[in-house]
Amino acid sequence: MAFPIENKLVVAVSSSALFDLSESDKVYNEHGLAEYRRYQEHNIDNPLSKGVAFPFVKRLLSFNEIFRDEQPVEVVLLSRNSPETGLRVFRTIAHYGLDISRASFFSGESPYKYLPAFNASLFLSASATDVRNACDAGYAAGRVLDSKIADDDSDNELRIAFDFDGVIADDESEKIYKEQGLSAFHRHESTTDAPLDPGPLADLLKKISNLQRLETARIDVDPTYRRWLKISIVTARNAPAHERVVNTLKSWGVEVTEAFFLGGISKDRVLEVMRPHIFFDDQMSHLNHLHNVPAVHIPMGIANE
């Protein structure tokens, strides 16, 4: 029976995004493939530690437990491991009780070209090369950055934060800022309220917003239901440039829970309070200050030229 993956929010993750593979990578880099295989076989029943994307993925999958009829989320593992060395990854998935059953193993090859086959709205990996390959091919992908992982099991809420220009929307306005400066950017934004074209993660945001609609429908029949999902925009824009953000999201039928128009205030001041389970930004200058926030770099657009 065909599986209707077209109707789901699909996120593809590498094992390096989901789990901490630093020790495994050290064995591979220092001793080669044969020793790496022996190491994984010897440790096959020793679960890997949680990686940067783990808190996000775990909570995203929880929506399948809440909405059992709809099953709105699918997480697919795309791994550079061989099927043999990938056994430890799948046993770790079972150890943590993650509802991930679909996977592909590529024995050292980059998996990006298979993203359309899974209808993935996002590919997460710790490999800069794999993420760049995916982005160059026009697919939405992000590199998870090293950060401290705080996965509080008592915290069921899923908090997702996005930068706006170059991430949710395209970088049309960001190009004006970079090429002509802040004054020209504000003049341009104050003379138009036309929605911006979608950026690399627009499809992801729209499908996450569908989860928000499921929660709204649940509240209509069960007023005691408490929302699990919180979507936030954290952008360097400020007034009057904020209106175009609002108009763009409205044109897509997307609502966010919070929006921060910071106008040069460092984003880490807000994010450290918010404690998102994942934050997406296209500029490393914004991400370099984050140490306790699971962060993802989107290496696309003018900010990365």
Side-chain angles (χ1 to χ4, degrees), residues 167-181:
V167 176
I168 297 303
D170 75 3
D171 58 2
E172 168 202 320
S173 298
E174 202 164 55
K175 288 177 181 176
I176 294 173
Y177 170 71
K178 187 171 183 178
E179 295 170 356
Q180 302 177 40

Side-chain angles (χ1 to χ4, degrees), residues 94-252:
H95 168 78
Y96 289 115
L98 298 178
D99 181 20
I100 299 175
S101 61
R102 291 173 175 83
S104 296
F105 297 96
F106 296 93
S107 300
E109 296 297 318
S110 182
Y112 73 93
K113 62 184 177 181
Y114 287 96
L115 291 170
F118 290 100
N119 198 41
S121 296
L122 175 67
F123 172 53
L124 290 175
S125 175
S127 168
T129 299
D130 286 351
V131 169
R132 172 55 66 184
N133 287 339
C135 290
D136 288 347
Y139 306 133
R143 179 171 67 94
V144 298
L145 306 179
D146 287 338
S147 62
K148 296 179 181 178
I149 302 301
D151 186 26
D152 182 358
D153 288 334
S154 66
D155 178 12
N156 292 325
E157 195 172 63
L158 171 57
R159 297 180 293 276
I160 307 173
F162 297 90
D163 180 31
F164 186 72
D165 295 277
V167 176
I168 297 303
D170 75 3
D171 58 2
E172 168 202 320
S173 298
E174 202 164 55
K175 288 177 181 176
I176 294 173
Y177 170 71
K178 187 171 183 178
E179 295 170 356
Q180 302 177 40
L182 183 60
S183 295
F185 167 78
H186 277 148
R187 283 196 302 272
H188 177 267
E189 294 303 288
S190 63
T191 58
T192 179
D193 59 359
L196 284 156
D197 288 333
L201 298 194
D203 183 65
L204 174 69
L205 176 62
K206 292 173 184 178
K207 289 182 177 176
I208 288 174
S209 186
N210 289 336
L211 301 179
Q212 204 174 45
R213 294 187 184 95
L214 286 174
E215 290 203 295
T216 298
R218 176 65 60 86
I219 291 172
D220 288 342
V221 298
D222 180 9
T224 66
Y225 177 81
R226 184 183 67 84
R227 290 185 182 273
W228 287 41
L229 179 61
K230 182 178 287 185
I231 307 171
S232 302
I233 301 294
V234 182
T235 174
R237 284 175 176 253
N238 60 347
H242 70 294
E243 288 194 14
R244 206 165 184 202
V245 175
V246 176
N247 290 336
T248 298
L249 296 175
K250 185 177 180 180
S251 73
W252 298 344

